Amino acid sequence: MSDLLSAFLHLLLLFKLVAPVTFRHHHYDDLVRTLYKVHNQCPYITQIYSIGRSVKGRHLYVLEFSDYPGIHEPLEPEVKYVGNMHGDEVLGRELLLQLSEFLCEEFQNQNQRIMRLIQETRIHILPSMNPDGYEAAATQCWGWKPGPHEYQGPNMPEYLVGRNNANKVDLNRNFPDLNIYFYYNEKHGGPNHHLPLPENWESQVEPETKAVIHWMRSFNFVLSANLHGGAVVANYPYDKSPGHRFRNPYRTTNSPTPDDKLFRKLAKVYSYAHGWMHQGWNCGDYFPDGITNGASWYSLSKGMQDFNYLHTNCFEITLELSCNKFPRQEELQREWLGNREALIQFLEQVHQGIKGMVLDENHHNLTGAVISVHGINHDVTAGERGDYFRLLLPGTYTVTATAPGFDPQTENVIVHPGRPTLVNFYLKRSIAPVNPLRKAPGGGQGGRMQAQLRITKKKDGARKQPHRGPG
């Protein structure tokens, strides 16, 4: 009898390990319970934190995966997923909950690929940026009522409420419009990276947008994806086209970034790992390879995707994942199986290009040091710990690190596929230029310092110029 009981318990344990996750929609309280369930199941590789609250006071919870949760390890990149920015586009929300459970369970099952990913990457998952909008959409679509059987059945109207937040603002049209400054700079020689925010930006955005911006500024994110619905395509920046204020399906303009080849590759990684996105024909639209430049599809102002690229070090793409914005529950398992590999492969893309430390001669971190790649007009900066990450395609590059008060350092780098190349920079402090009018210590006319001179030959003769030392 004991042998039968032992065999039964073994089968029960085996079933628990392989049993499929329940595929269903999660309202806010259920979402929070699911996040804490994952955390309680995998407490040593997860933490939960809130980046702020919605208009109606709901927390914007993030679930983090790392071998040292809560700690930035130097040279370990930070990556994020954001779902449910539009409250009625719910598939991303459900996929990110499924992904959270999958990462936890596969880590426990000692899946070497997932263990390596979590040990080498700090992953941040925000399942819902717009929980208020979701509750409005769920009420209309599913007849949600509090109680043990929340979802009473599908009721699919042609147009769902809940796209916007509780203040009726579209959060993906609510970020500071840095594209305006970028296009101005493009004409007048200014930068297209780390553009400053307007002084009064906090008063111009919604609570959810404000929380996400502070989140972006608190972590040195390297890679990101924003999960939407209503189409099936991987969309990459720029989203805004110069001179186009409104969507015009008959007039589209490609608006590439300096990293266009890299963004196209990131989008293709997701598209071709997806079950059907790469086929191109989806939802009545056709996108070759299942990807599109945002502005080439339609021009969008104040979007989160462009904001990431223009203000931070983060490279973000937008994933449109379903024709139906609010899929039926019986469709969720198919959608998960279609997206699971793509979600993992995209996270792995953060481990390409170059990374390293920027330090001074005393091995102190040079926070904010600028990393420039010759031929790609878009810089990244080192984080608080002095480490930097620059996503690049395989190839040979000339890379320069600069910091105020230090001589620049340039290295020739070969980037291989699969793993990032480690390139550390050790900058030497610049020698201050000599002032020819300053008196030497002790004073006196004889103590006046003289500028060294050099002869510069020109076609019309020779003239003397002050010699400028290093820096």
Side-chain angles (χ1 to χ4, degrees):
M1 191 71 173
S2 60
D3 291 340
L4 289 175
L5 180 60
S6 177
F8 173 76
L9 292 175
H10 177 74
L11 289 173
L12 185 63
L13 177 61
L14 182 62
F15 177 78
K16 182 179 179 181
L17 290 176
V18 301
V21 177
T22 302
F23 292 94
R24 59 187 174 83
H25 290 285
H26 297 74
H27 63 83
Y28 176 75
D29 291 340
D30 208 9
L31 178 148
V32 175
R33 282 194 293 268
T34 300
L35 294 179
Y36 274 95
K37 183 191 76 172
V38 173
H39 172 61
N40 291 334
Q41 186 176 347
C42 292
Y44 300 111
I45 59 168
T46 63
Q47 78 156 348
I48 297 174
Y49 63 92
S50 172
I51 62 172
R53 290 179 181 266
S54 67
V55 171
K56 293 192 173 182
R58 295 182 173 97
H59 278 287
L60 306 179
Y61 282 117
V62 174
L63 179 63
E64 174 196 333
F65 283 87
S66 171
D67 54 345
Y68 290 95
I71 299 173
H72 173 73
E73 300 174 70
L75 300 179
E76 183 172 288
E78 313 260 357
V79 60
K80 60 182 166 72
Y81 274 136
V82 178
N84 203 205
M85 185 182 201
H86 291 144
D88 62 337
E89 298 173 12
V90 306
L91 180 59
R93 171 193 183 105
E94 301 306 329
L95 291 177
L96 293 181
L97 292 178
Q98 297 288 347
L99 176 64
S100 301
E101 294 185 319
F102 177 79
L103 292 175
C104 173
E105 291 172 359
E106 292 304 303
F107 189 92
Q108 290 182 321
N109 293 337
Q110 297 187 340
N111 180 322
Q112 293 300 306
R113 182 187 183 192
I114 299 303
M115 291 179 70
R116 182 169 59 251
L117 179 64
I118 291 175
Q119 289 166 354
E120 297 179 353
T121 321
R122 194 177 180 197
I123 304 165
H124 304 256
I125 297 175
L126 173 62
S128 180
M129 182 179 168
N130 186 4
D132 297 349
Y134 174 86
E135 296 302 312
T139 299
Q140 179 187 13
C141 182
W142 287 91
W144 173 76
K145 298 177 182 178
H149 305 289
E150 289 92 346
Y151 298 104
Q152 305 302 315
N155 175 25
M156 304 297 293
E158 292 185 2
Y159 177 78
L160 292 175
V161 299
R163 172 184 174 87
N164 301 333
N165 74 344
N167 287 336
K168 304 187 185 308
V169 174
D170 186 332
L171 298 179
N172 206 30
R173 312 292 192 280
N174 188 234
F175 284 76
D177 191 354
L178 300 184
N179 296 76
I180 293 177
Y181 302 108
F182 154 61
Y183 288 127
Y184 176 87
N185 289 348
E186 192 175 47
K187 292 181 180 180
H188 299 87
N192 65 2
H193 39 250
H194 302 100
L195 300 182
L197 297 178
E199 291 185 2
N200 59 342
W201 71 270
E202 291 193 12
S203 64
Q204 299 176 359
V205 301
E206 293 298 298
E208 297 90 346
T209 310
K210 178 180 174 181
V212 168
I213 291 176
H214 282 297
W215 184 40
M216 292 178 186
R217 291 162 63 90
S218 299
F219 294 88
N220 188 17
F221 289 116
V222 180
L223 182 65
S224 174
N226 180 16
L227 281 57
H228 284 251
V232 179
V233 65
N235 171 350
Y236 55 91
Y238 290 115
D239 260 336
K240 184 175 181 178
S241 178
H244 286 191
R245 296 183 59 194
F246 304 103
R247 178 173 181 169
N248 184 343
Y250 304 105
R251 182 184 179 188
T252 58
T253 302
N254 191 59
S255 185
T257 69
D259 288 284
D260 187 61
K261 291 181 179 179
L262 173 63
F263 273 117
R264 290 175 61 85
K265 192 251 187 176
L266 292 172
K268 281 186 179 181
V269 163
Y270 198 95
S271 175
Y272 275 87
H274 188 277
W276 51 89
M277 183 183 289
H278 59 279
Q279 296 173 358
W281 286 107
N282 294 293
C283 315
D285 294 320
Y286 178 68
F287 298 100
D289 294 314
I291 69 172
T292 184
N293 172 263
S296 180
W297 185 14
Y298 64 92
S299 186
L300 182 160
S301 295
K302 301 183 179 181
M304 184 166 70
Q305 178 172 264
D306 287 3
F307 181 87
N308 271 271
Y309 188 71
L310 294 172
H311 183 64
T312 77
N313 289 324
C314 190
F315 289 59
E316 178 171 284
I317 68 172
T318 299
L319 301 171
E320 302 279 352
L321 297 178
S322 60
C323 302
N324 186 348
K325 292 185 177 183
F326 209 121
R328 298 173 183 270
Q329 290 189 161
E330 54 266 31
E331 299 172 12
L332 294 180
Q333 184 171 9
R334 173 181 179 268
E335 294 288 356
W336 164 243
L337 295 176
N339 283 274
R340 181 179 62 190
E341 177 62 21
L343 288 166
I344 298 299
Q345 281 198 29
F346 186 79
L347 291 174
E348 293 172 333
Q349 296 310 299
V350 77
H351 297 287
Q352 64 174 307
I354 62 175
K355 67 178 182 179
M357 305 294 298
V358 187
L359 307 170
D360 66 11
E361 294 169 290
N362 297 316
H363 289 255
H364 295 147
N365 302 331
L366 291 181
T367 301
V370 176
I371 309 299
S372 304
V373 180
H374 181 73
I376 304 178
N377 182 29
H378 187 80
D379 300 340
V380 300
T381 56
E384 292 183 0
R385 303 294 296 274
D387 54 345
Y388 75 91
F389 306 84
R390 199 355 168 148
L391 299 181
L392 294 168
L393 296 175
T396 302
Y397 300 90
T398 300
V399 184
T400 301
T402 58
F406 292 84
D407 292 332
Q409 180 182 344
T410 300
E411 300 288 343
N412 293 319
V413 179
I414 298 177
V415 174
H416 300 282
R419 303 296 297 171
T421 301
L422 184 64
V423 185
N424 295 322
F425 292 94
Y426 301 92
L427 304 189
K428 296 181 179 180
R429 193 169 296 277
S430 300
I431 300 174
V434 176
N435 184 348
L437 301 180
R438 189 180 63 188
K439 292 185 178 182
Q445 295 296 322
R448 186 179 300 274
M449 300 180 68
Q450 301 295 321
Q452 295 180 344
L453 301 178
R454 66 180 178 183
I455 304 297
T456 302
K457 293 185 177 181
K458 300 186 72 175
K459 290 183 181 179
D460 58 351
R463 66 187 181 90
K464 295 182 179 181
Q465 291 184 339
H467 171 68
R468 303 184 187 276

